[in-house]
Amino acid sequence: MITSILFAVAGPMSVPQDLKAYSEKLPKSTIEIKMVPIPGGKVKVGEKTVDVAPFYMATTETPWEVFDQYLLSGEPSKPYDQTVFGPDVIARPSYSYILPDLGWGHEGYPVINVTSTTVEMFFRWLRTTTKKKYRLPTEAEWQWACQAGVDGELKLSSEELDKSAWHKGNSAGMTHPVGEKAANKLGLFDILGNVGEWATDADGKPVLCGGDFLLEAEKQNSTLRRRYQPNWQETDPQLPKSRWWLADAPFAGFRIVCEK
Amino acid sequence: MGTKKNQTSRRQFLQTTGGLAAASLLPNIAKAGVHTQGSGEIRVALIGCGGRGSGAAINALSVKNGPVKLWAMADVFEDRLNGSWDNIKNQLGDKVDVPKDRRFLGFDAYKKAMDSLRPGDVAILTTPPGFRWLHYQYAISKKLNVFMEKPITVDGPQSKKMIELNVLAKAAGLKVGVGLMSRHTIGMQELAKRIQDGELGEILLMRGYRMHGPAASSQSTPKPDNMSDIEYQIRRFHSFLWASGGCYNDFYIHHIDHLCWMKGAYPVKAQGVGGRHYKVNREGVPFIDQNFDAYSVEYTFADGSKFFFDGRCMDGAAGIYSSYVHGTKGVGIVARSGDFGGPQAIFKNQNMEASSLAWQSTDRSNPYQNEWEVLIDRIRANQEHNEVETGIRTCAVTSMGRMAAHTGQEITYEQFLNCPHEFVPNVAELDYAKPAPVMPGADGKYPIPQPGVKKDREY
């Protein structure tokens, strides 16, 4: 793994003394999630300046081996079940008709083709299993961590981007194992490129942040946002479409955050 | 594109004129399609309101060459009927005209739904495939065009029935689409043409893999006490060979179909292996379905070349879901992921690496929608469209491989077709209170294939 400092620092961004990097070891497995501290600060999201409290973020996009622990933790849902879940229910995806990983790779590769519902359930499971406040980042947290102290939208030169991000020009049309490119100043890999990352907006609604392996280099930036579109499931042949899997969104993944 | 479109429109106009002229000469036959030519409303009835049936209805209503209206619906389960109506109405409400008196419940509901249509309208047959020939027979008698989901047969006797019925459908000029959507994948159409033009040389070997978790209803735990046997078997249709042909037939058919298409031939025989391992769920409850967990079938073509298909429905095992064609000049990727995922590709040698790439497809259209565009266009133009013969052959070949694995015998196409074991001989008499086609033993489990023990039938 290559770790280097690539981002110019526009202002101070120091980690509070009481936050230290740690690894979350999942029960009954050897799998660990590496978490690094992210300092608090202010970030401009759209037209609004948002205060961000210190938090922890996973160094990588979530790989399949972590997600599989959730998938295998109990019975899957029935196909096309549209039960309205209570706030404490932990449900698992129904079995998919397709391979959600598209056969591109499993161990070490980022989770893809997941809906925001699936990710929410993953976090309910993770919180219950670890007794810690794991969740998706807010979009403000995500952007703040992505910019890593840079004031305003983060844009990298093509050379810098090639060192740190998988994008249309270098990905050969597929995702790549997490953590192969250079991390940012905070130790975050693939924060631009590889897969977009689910977050929650100020209204608590899901939003996909950042660029991915299919997007051109010039579109990779910290302010890119996407919302679910029906064509993310166009080739799901069923109705209702799956609430768990996106048949046509190999760019949709996520990263783990933990509250302090 | 403009020129091409104009040519198509002109051809359609000429064909339509011809069709109208023929109508006066053959009133009983040609009337089947008269009112649907040109631009009149085509009405569809949905028979089988499960997830795929509802999806097919959306595809039908979404065609460019409309208007198409959902006119009637039929199912044996009220919850499926109501749920489907809600979902379709929510999505395409202005194209749904199905008041309560055209929502039919029961084992004879298919007749009522089709009775509400006019000759030349479309019946969508998306019940479990065990019912397919029976519903197709009725559609033909009503002179309805048809879209039927795959599989369209589950055993030899049904395949023969379908062959006979399809002669009648063709004589009546009915347009019939079959849900083998690989054939409507534009990238695969291009690949097939290139293979037929010799870009891969002689085809020597094909490989298909569909390995994922136990999707849909392919694994089942014992029947709940509050449900009848027949209800349970229809709801869990992938678990029962009579209802679906099992996971082998229902799931693996797509790879088998498109690889035979690439080869330009169907295999003449098959041998196979399969087995059931720890058939319990994550909580230790036994599975009682009739499927094997894993299958591996070797198909042989008349020229001696081979096609290997490996299928597995096991939780937690590595997934692989793709298909390949190997020729004397190179290798082709047919389905890169899933049943039709692109890009399809041709490589100059046996290495599937970027440096060997000779061609790659670019189309990303939705084949589930494409298959409906073709069907409606052919109906409007009164051009021949009948995918049933191909569908029967694909189903028979798929089931031949399944039978080989289930009996442990080498099975030829003729042996499969002429096997007297009919999985559901009394399909026309099934009803809520009637016994189910297969009943569990004292242990609550259904009869399972026993290769080497039961050699002349699958269970």
Side-chain angles (χ1 to χ4, degrees), chain A residues 68-80 82 92-106 113 172-174 230 233-241 247-248, chain B residues 50-56 58-59 84 87-88 91 210-217 219 236 238 250-251 281-283 287 315-316 319-321 336-338 340 364-369:
Chain A
D68 285 347
Q69 297 301 305
Y70 153 65
L71 290 180
L72 297 171
S73 65
E75 280 300 296
S77 298
K78 290 178 166 55
Y80 310 104
Q82 297 294 297
R92 275 153 289 274
S94 56
Y95 289 117
S96 172
Y97 278 102
I98 63 163
L99 291 183
D101 69 14
L102 299 181
W104 291 347
H106 204 73
N113 282 320
M174 294 192 297
Q233 289 186 292
E234 183 179 358
T235 65
D236 182 337
Q238 310 274 341
L239 186 75
K241 307 274 184 168
D248 305 294
Chain B
R52 181 58 200 132
S54 305
I58 292 291
N59 294 139
S84 179
N87 287 319
I88 300 170
Q91 191 156 326
R210 181 164 169 166
M211 299 179 172
H212 50 47
S217 55
Q219 278 181 352
R236 304 295 302 170
H238 293 112
D250 201 281
F251 294 171
N281 75 4
R282 290 175 194 162
E283 287 154 11
F287 289 124
D315 206 2
I320 178 171
Y321 193 166
R336 193 177 290 260
S337 177
F340 55 84
R364 295 288 177 269
S365 62
N366 180 1
Y368 294 103
Q369 188 61 44

Side-chain angles (χ1 to χ4, degrees), chain A residues 129-232:
Chain A
T129 299
T130 63
K131 315 298 182 197
K132 291 191 177 101
K133 296 176 182 174
Y134 285 109
R135 57 169 171 75
L136 278 180
T138 64
E139 69 172 318
E141 288 169 339
W142 185 89
Q143 188 175 321
W144 169 247
C146 179
Q147 290 174 186
V150 170
D151 191 21
E153 180 181 272
L154 178 70
K155 291 279 270 183
L156 302 180
S157 71
S158 57
E159 285 169 326
E160 288 172 327
L161 193 70
D162 263 348
K163 289 178 183 173
S164 61
W166 293 107
H167 55 83
K168 186 173 183 179
N170 64 12
S171 69
M174 294 192 297
T175 55
H176 286 257
V178 299
E180 284 193 337
K181 292 281 193 174
N184 76 357
K185 180 197 174 197
L186 295 169
L188 304 174
F189 295 94
D190 302 307
I191 193 75
L192 290 177
N194 218 18
V195 294
E197 299 176 16
W198 282 115
T200 53
D201 69 10
D203 297 319
K205 293 192 167 64
V207 60
L208 196 73
C209 296
D212 62 67
F213 70 100
L214 292 171
L215 282 186
E216 293 83 359
E218 57 271 19
K219 291 179 182 169
Q220 306 286 336
N221 66 62
S222 60
T223 59
L224 178 64
R225 300 288 187 269
R226 281 174 284 183
R227 307 274 177 178
Y228 168 81
Q229 296 287 328
N231 65 7
W232 294 13

Side-chain angles (χ1 to χ4, degrees), chain B residues 275-304:
Chain B
R276 294 161 63 98
H277 195 27
Y278 47 91
K279 288 284 277 186
V280 295
N281 75 4
R282 290 175 194 162
E283 287 154 11
V285 181
F287 289 124
I288 50 72
D289 54 273
Q290 295 185 292
N291 290 311
F292 285 168
D293 297 318
Y295 291 89
S296 184
V297 173
E298 177 200 74
Y299 287 101
T300 303
F301 292 93
D303 67 4

Side-chain angles (χ1 to χ4, degrees), chain B residues 124-415:
Chain B
I124 303 177
L125 306 182
T126 47
T127 62
F131 295 93
R132 195 76 72 243
W133 74 263
L134 180 68
H135 296 175
Y136 189 39
Q137 178 176 259
Y138 198 74
I140 294 167
S141 76
K142 303 297 292 189
K143 299 220 174 4
L144 297 170
N145 297 307
V146 171
F147 176 84
M148 59 177 80
E149 256 304 336
K150 60 66 193 164
I152 65 176
T153 68
V154 301
D155 57 33
Q158 278 197 359
S159 298
K160 289 170 129 178
K161 282 186 171 70
M162 278 297 249
I163 290 169
E164 291 163 7
L165 287 172
N166 202 48
V167 172
L168 300 178
K170 286 192 152 190
L174 301 178
K175 312 328 180 224
V176 188
V178 170
L180 290 167
M181 75 292 170
S182 294
R183 290 175 184 260
H184 296 282
T185 302
I186 308 302
M188 279 191 195
Q189 291 174 357
E190 290 179 77
L191 177 61
K193 184 176 186 307
R194 287 170 181 274
I195 291 174
Q196 282 144 31
D197 287 347
E199 289 191 25
L200 282 181
E202 190 181 349
I203 302 304
L204 299 180
L205 172 69
M206 299 193 295
R207 298 179 288 131
Y209 306 91
R210 181 164 169 166
M211 299 179 172
H212 50 47
S217 55
S218 58
Q219 278 181 352
S220 291
T221 50
K223 177 183 76 67
D225 289 339
N226 64 348
M227 202 180 282
S228 70
D229 284 296
I230 194 163
E231 177 179 357
Y232 187 66
Q233 289 174 33
I234 292 171
R235 287 190 184 273
R236 304 295 302 170
F237 69 101
H238 293 112
S239 286
F240 297 95
L241 293 170
W242 77 262
S244 62
C247 63
Y248 193 98
N249 214 18
D250 201 281
F251 294 171
Y252 307 157
I253 188 170
H254 289 299
H255 278 193
I256 293 164
D257 181 53
H258 69 231
L259 289 176
C260 291
W261 173 30
M262 296 299 140
K263 173 71 175 178
Y266 280 100
V268 296
K269 63 183 179 178
Q271 66 163 350
V273 296
R276 294 161 63 98
H277 195 27
Y278 47 91
K279 288 284 277 186
V280 295
N281 75 4
R282 290 175 194 162
E283 287 154 11
V285 181
F287 289 124
I288 50 72
D289 54 273
Q290 295 185 292
N291 290 311
F292 285 168
D293 297 318
Y295 291 89
S296 184
V297 173
E298 177 200 74
Y299 287 101
T300 303
F301 292 93
D303 67 4
S305 62
K306 303 286 189 181
F307 160 29
F308 292 96
F309 186 82
D310 284 352
R312 182 173 62 205
C313 284
M314 288 182 90
D315 206 2
I320 178 171
Y321 193 166
S322 50
S323 65
Y324 308 91
V325 175
H326 296 265
T328 47
K329 292 182 182 175
V331 59
I333 296 178
V334 191
R336 193 177 290 260
S337 177
D339 290 325
F340 55 84
Q344 285 69 37
I346 285 177
F347 297 86
K348 289 176 281 191
N349 46 48
Q350 299 299 316
N351 285 309
M352 290 180 275
E353 289 170 359
S355 57
S356 303
L357 184 68
W359 168 82
Q360 188 165 272
S361 68
T362 56
D363 182 86
R364 295 288 177 269
S365 62
N366 180 1
Y368 294 103
Q369 188 61 44
N370 294 349
E371 65 192 353
W372 270 93
E373 302 291 345
V374 171
L375 176 61
I376 297 297
D377 284 348
R378 298 289 175 85
I379 289 170
R380 292 219 179 278
N382 195 21
Q383 289 172 350
E384 184 177 357
H385 185 65
N386 190 302
E387 299 183 316
V388 176
E389 271 179 25
T390 298
I392 299 167
R393 194 62 186 267
T394 290
C395 285
V397 157
T398 301
S399 298
M400 173 178 76
R402 183 197 68 214
M403 185 175 181
H406 283 170
T407 59
Q409 313 297 303
E410 181 178 86
I411 303 293
T412 65
Y413 185 73
E414 288 71 26
Q415 282 170 327

Side-chain angles (χ1 to χ4, degrees), chain B residues 43-116:
Chain B
R43 296 171 179 170
V44 300
L46 176 61
I47 293 134
C49 300
R52 181 58 200 132
S54 305
I58 292 291
N59 294 139
L61 301 179
S62 303
V63 292
K64 299 184 189 76
N65 196 359
V68 176
K69 185 155 278 189
L70 182 62
W71 190 255
M73 298 168 77
D75 204 282
V76 294
F77 302 130
E78 188 166 19
D79 59 314
R80 292 288 165 83
L81 185 56
N82 292 341
S84 179
W85 185 88
D86 283 341
N87 287 319
I88 300 170
K89 185 78 173 176
N90 284 341
Q91 191 156 326
L92 292 171
D94 60 334
K95 299 182 180 181
V96 177
D97 186 359
V98 190
K100 282 197 196 300
D101 62 2
R102 286 204 295 272
R103 286 178 237 167
F104 305 104
L105 203 55
F107 281 80
D108 61 352
Y110 70 96
K111 290 181 178 177
K112 297 168 182 170
M114 291 195 230
D115 288 348
S116 73

